Amino acid sequence: MSKILKKRKADAMEASFELVPPFPREFQLDISSVCNHACNFCSNVRMANKKVMDKDLVFRLLSEVFDCGARDVGLYGTGEPFLAKHLPAYVETAKEIGYEYIFITTNGAGAIPSRAEAVLKAGLDSIKFSIHAGTRETYKQIHGKDDFEKVIKNLKWVSEFRKSSGLNYRIYVTMVQTKANFNEVDKLYKLVEPYIDEWDPHMLNNSCGTMPENNEIGEVEANNIRGRGHTDICFQPFKSFTITPEGYMSACVLDYHKALIVADLNTESVKDAWKNEVYKRFRKQHLDDKTEGTICYNCIHNTTKPFKGIQDQYTETPIRPPRR
């Protein structure tokens, strides 16, 4: 079985570490920061002002970013993509524009047959299920919802539909390892293995510097950016970007509190934003190993130091709900 997901992750780290790198092939469009789960390691529960992206903005950005050179798009970011009711139309439009690889990551609770079928038929190239336990009780503890059996049922249906429809999308499952589920990794793998193309478990991270308390619920490795074992300079600001539901360009897909906003794409073009002075200054911080004071420093070094946003007018103070 070819390991397409593993290769794509490896390719993502092969960045050109320049002040203005080549425009990326891949980006992520965060069509919804709203989520129907409340995973205890995820900073989504601490977000303020969650929203679903306006559909006209989605269509405009898909076209504009393609014209700049992108060919792969992830229709997700900080929230749950199935909460965007126009998701099938976004996938279909992206295919019509010419995107070659369209993908989502979902907790799977909303991927019921009546909704998933439309998205898959529209041309989705891969769907990754985030399932963080191997038993119903642990799942409820971590996800904050009693959806384990529902999600496994949806995963099985997506696999069966691929066979019956003849469609050629990929199916993945990812699992974040914590103290609560560490003994259930093999259990989940054995349960999902017949229905997936690749298995993608990874160690816990600190949600790119915004969840230092994750050290209390699992092992967070320093110099392990986003669980990829990469050290020194983060690849993300040089190889990709994320567009928030508001239409802001962020240097990181896990920018839950808008601390890494480099441009407002409602007033600045995507092409100009990629090479603007704000982004260049931020990339230089990484190249010079001077990220202290940003969430990037906390992410890379697994620290809890105070941080400021790249542009303070966008940064939102994290909400601090009690740890379950």
Side-chain angles (χ1 to χ4, degrees):
M1 182 185 298
S2 61
K3 299 296 183 181
I4 294 176
L5 180 61
K6 184 176 181 179
K7 183 179 185 304
R8 286 181 60 82
K9 283 191 168 187
D11 289 347
M13 294 189 292
E14 296 298 321
S16 296
F17 294 102
E18 308 167 32
L19 292 184
V20 183
F23 195 84
R25 177 183 178 87
E26 176 182 310
F27 78 106
Q28 290 187 237
L29 197 58
D30 193 1
I31 58 175
S32 171
S33 58
V34 182
C35 191
N36 51 346
H37 280 196
C39 295
N40 64 356
F41 58 80
C42 179
S43 201
N44 180 275
V45 296
R46 296 173 55 181
M47 288 183 73
N49 305 316
K50 299 178 188 179
K51 66 174 296 182
V52 176
M53 187 179 285
D54 178 78
K55 64 181 177 64
D56 291 333
L57 181 60
V58 173
F59 294 140
R60 176 177 74 79
L61 290 169
L62 282 172
S63 180
E64 185 177 348
V65 181
F66 183 86
D67 289 343
C68 290
R71 293 297 178 267
D72 302 348
V73 57
L75 295 173
Y76 72 100
T78 60
E80 169 52 48
F82 273 98
L83 294 183
K85 64 180 181 179
H86 300 293
L87 180 57
Y90 299 157
V91 175
E92 183 177 23
T93 298
K95 277 296 178 187
E96 290 174 350
I97 289 172
Y99 282 95
E100 298 171 14
Y101 191 82
I102 305 165
F103 58 102
I104 61 171
T105 293
T106 171
N107 59 45
I112 58 176
S114 60
R115 299 175 69 186
E117 181 174 353
V119 177
L120 296 168
K121 282 184 173 180
L124 192 71
D125 292 289
S126 78
I127 180 169
K128 184 195 291 186
F129 285 73
S130 289
I131 307 173
H132 306 300
T135 64
R136 179 179 176 182
E137 285 306 311
T138 304
Y139 183 96
K140 184 177 180 180
Q141 174 188 342
I142 294 174
H143 283 255
K145 291 291 181 70
D146 189 13
D147 285 338
F148 181 73
E149 294 175 359
K150 177 182 181 180
V151 169
I152 297 300
K153 182 179 179 181
N154 290 344
L155 172 64
K156 292 179 178 179
W157 181 89
V158 167
S159 176
E160 292 165 358
F161 182 67
R162 181 169 63 175
K163 295 176 184 177
S164 63
S165 67
L167 295 173
N168 194 31
Y169 51 84
R170 307 283 292 180
I171 308 169
Y172 309 125
V173 165
T174 188
M175 180 186 195
V176 174
Q177 298 178 28
T178 67
K179 292 177 183 177
N181 66 17
F182 192 77
N183 292 327
E184 297 182 5
V185 175
D186 289 342
K187 187 178 184 67
L188 179 62
Y189 174 66
K190 291 177 181 177
L191 179 61
V192 303
E193 191 273 336
Y195 312 107
I196 65 176
D197 298 297
E198 288 182 57
W199 165 242
D200 184 39
H202 59 87
M203 298 298 293
L204 183 68
N205 61 47
N206 62 10
S207 206
C208 283
T210 64
M211 291 283 281
E213 62 267 40
N214 279 354
N215 287 275
E216 302 169 13
I217 63 169
E219 180 183 357
V220 178
E221 298 176 343
N223 293 320
N224 190 21
I225 299 168
R226 292 183 58 200
R228 298 192 186 188
H230 189 65
T231 58
D232 300 325
I233 303 172
C234 181
F235 60 90
Q236 184 121 3
F238 302 86
K239 192 62 182 286
S240 184
F241 60 86
T242 295
I243 302 178
T244 74
E246 297 81 7
Y248 305 148
M249 178 184 283
S250 173
C252 181
V253 66
L254 297 184
D255 188 11
Y256 289 95
H257 309 299
K258 302 181 181 64
L260 299 176
I261 301 301
V262 296
D264 182 351
L265 299 179
N266 297 289
T267 59
E268 186 172 355
S269 73
V270 172
K271 182 179 180 180
D272 288 343
W274 179 249
K275 58 184 179 181
N276 72 15
E277 292 301 316
V278 176
Y279 217 156
K280 285 194 287 187
R281 285 196 301 270
F282 178 64
R283 293 189 187 110
K284 192 172 190 307
Q285 285 182 276
H286 279 266
L287 293 171
D288 294 343
D289 193 20
K290 293 182 179 179
T291 57
E292 189 166 358
T294 71
I295 63 171
C296 298
Y297 185 88
N298 289 353
C299 174
I300 295 169
H301 300 283
N302 189 29
T303 64
T304 59
K305 292 189 176 184
F307 64 86
K308 292 184 65 177
I310 295 177
Q311 300 191 81
D312 280 342
Q313 67 266 36
Y314 300 110
T315 307
E316 297 175 348
T317 302
I319 298 168
R320 295 188 176 273
R323 171 76 79 186
R324 292 196 310 277

